[in-house]
Amino acid sequence: MTNGVLPIASPRVRPARGRLRDEPVAGAKRVLLAAPRGYCAGVDRAVVAVEKALEHFGEPVYVRKQIVHNVHVVSELEQRGAIFVDEVDEVPEGAHLVFSAHGVSPAVVAGAAARGLQAIDATCPLVTKVHREATRFAGQGRQILLIGHAGHEEVEGTMGQAPERTILVNSPADVDLLEVDDPENLVWISQTTLSVDETMETVRRLRERFPHLQDPPSDDICYATQNRQVAIKKVAPDADLVIVVGSANSSNSVRLVEVALERGARTAHRIDYADEIQQAWLDGVRTVGVSSGASVPEVLVQEVLEQLADAGYRDIEEVRTAEEDLMFSLPKELRHDTSGTADERALGGRVRA
């Protein structure tokens, strides 16, 4: 089984802790803990949607693709009775199906309806905003330049809103190769989980080539992606090593590693679990920066801090650059508990252990 990009890993048996050694370095050891980090409101909403669907409707509940791009979260939900599939035709007719936080195209929605599936849309509202922009711009007859990464589920869903009027731009290097029908009637939108700096560089180069390029009404990159990148930029110049907790198919987690290196970290690594930290990474390291992608539960970060403490990194300084209080309502199908009472638990934005 896959998530459309990478295989979904099976749940792992955790190794015994205490693997790292406390080796001497020149100076005091410390950790700079980036904040904000971890779960954003959209991820929280999507994960809780699957949990509550299992509570409401019982096992199994099907989920198209990974609900969020995190191996640990997906594995835990599988153990609770969620079944992850690539496409709707793998779901038995009439079953409950959750659309992932990354969103889907109208064709996928229609396919689910044709099979009589009881669909629950856990698309992040910020992704839904981009979908509406694409639909509106296409209705106005504009050609849409979508800045994003080919093959990512969010990009596939956004492209599907107006496929005949949308061109994908993968990177600044792609700009010179673009062929458009009407250079005076262009508008750009973007995947929500990109590097802010790279996206703005792509827009700058697009505007140089197409001076009449129009902007969307607001920035499409989500607040959580931006906040986590700002925090890691603050941490990176003072860090000999940066560790980012997040899965390989998590765009925003991968971007955090790139941003850390761009902003002065000597080395940076992405891991899923604390036991992946290698002793050699810590050679001569006094300061370790730690952050996590927007689909990572805080428990995984705490395990990293415990591993680092074994290696002598017990002085933890939180580097906070923003406060987050955005909350999203659950999908309408899940806003009542099993007795029919309105249930307003877990609307997003909370730190989950």
Side-chain angles (χ1 to χ4, degrees), residues 93-272:
E93 292 186 6
H96 289 90
L97 173 68
V98 180
F99 296 139
S100 80
H102 309 104
V104 297
S105 69
V108 171
V109 175
R115 291 185 62 78
L117 303 181
Q118 300 182 62
I120 300 166
D121 188 0
T123 302
C124 173
L126 299 180
V127 175
T128 299
K129 176 183 79 74
V130 179
H131 287 184
R132 289 172 178 163
E133 289 175 351
T135 301
R136 183 171 68 254
F137 293 146
Q140 295 168 348
R142 300 185 190 181
Q143 189 161 31
I144 301 164
L145 302 181
L146 170 60
I147 302 171
H149 294 145
H152 193 281
E153 290 150 35
E154 181 185 330
V155 167
E156 292 175 352
T158 302
M159 290 282 292
Q161 306 303 312
E164 72 289 349
R165 302 206 61 82
T166 307
I167 299 174
L168 182 62
V169 184
N170 275 284
S171 70
D174 285 355
V175 172
D176 292 339
L177 305 176
L178 287 177
E179 296 182 5
V180 302
D181 298 328
D182 187 357
E184 296 190 356
N185 194 28
L186 298 175
V187 62
W188 71 271
I189 59 177
S190 78
Q191 181 181 334
T192 64
T193 56
L194 299 179
S195 160
V196 177
D197 295 335
E198 183 177 351
T199 301
M200 290 303 100
E201 173 61 14
T202 302
V203 172
R204 184 189 68 79
R205 293 182 64 170
L206 284 170
R207 186 161 282 114
E208 283 183 350
R209 187 164 174 213
F210 307 111
H212 296 283
L213 178 71
Q214 299 175 57
D215 297 326
S218 61
D219 188 354
D220 288 337
I221 296 178
C222 91
Y223 76 95
T225 297
Q226 296 187 54
N227 287 347
R228 282 146 191 72
Q229 289 180 20
V230 169
I232 208 67
K233 287 177 182 179
K234 187 74 177 292
V235 165
D238 297 319
D240 302 307
L241 164 69
V242 167
I243 295 173
V244 174
V245 187
S247 292
N249 60 333
S250 166
S251 177
N252 73 88
S253 297
V254 172
R255 300 288 85 73
L256 286 175
V257 174
E258 296 172 351
V259 170
L261 292 170
E262 291 167 359
R263 290 305 177 107
R266 195 174 78 194
T267 58
H269 298 278
R270 181 205 54 77
I271 62 175
D272 273 299

Side-chain angles (χ1 to χ4, degrees), residues 257-303:
V257 174
E258 296 172 351
V259 170
L261 292 170
E262 291 167 359
R263 290 305 177 107
R266 195 174 78 194
T267 58
H269 298 278
R270 181 205 54 77
I271 62 175
D272 273 299
Y273 293 107
D275 62 274
E276 297 170 21
I277 301 172
Q278 299 179 25
Q279 186 72 45
W281 296 354
L282 302 175
D283 289 349
V285 168
R286 290 189 298 176
T287 302
V288 181
V290 175
S291 186
S292 60
S295 53
V296 177
E298 179 66 10
V299 64
L300 299 184
V301 176
Q302 294 305 314
E303 290 177 0

Side-chain angles (χ1 to χ4, degrees), residues 30-106:
R30 64 172 179 161
V31 174
L32 298 179
L33 182 59
R37 63 183 178 276
Y39 266 17
C40 64
V43 163
D44 192 32
R45 174 182 185 267
V47 174
V48 173
V50 178
E51 294 172 345
K52 287 182 67 61
L54 287 165
E55 290 177 17
H56 279 247
F57 309 119
E59 301 178 30
V61 167
Y62 293 83
V63 184
R64 184 183 180 274
K65 309 293 186 181
Q66 288 191 349
I67 185 65
V68 297
H69 285 163
N70 185 264
V71 167
H72 176 80
V73 171
V74 169
S75 295
E76 286 208 326
L77 291 172
E78 283 181 317
Q79 293 177 68
R80 295 180 63 170
I83 296 177
F84 293 83
V85 299
D86 279 330
E87 299 300 343
V88 297
D89 59 9
E90 301 173 51
V91 183
E93 292 186 6
H96 289 90
L97 173 68
V98 180
F99 296 139
S100 80
H102 309 104
V104 297
S105 69

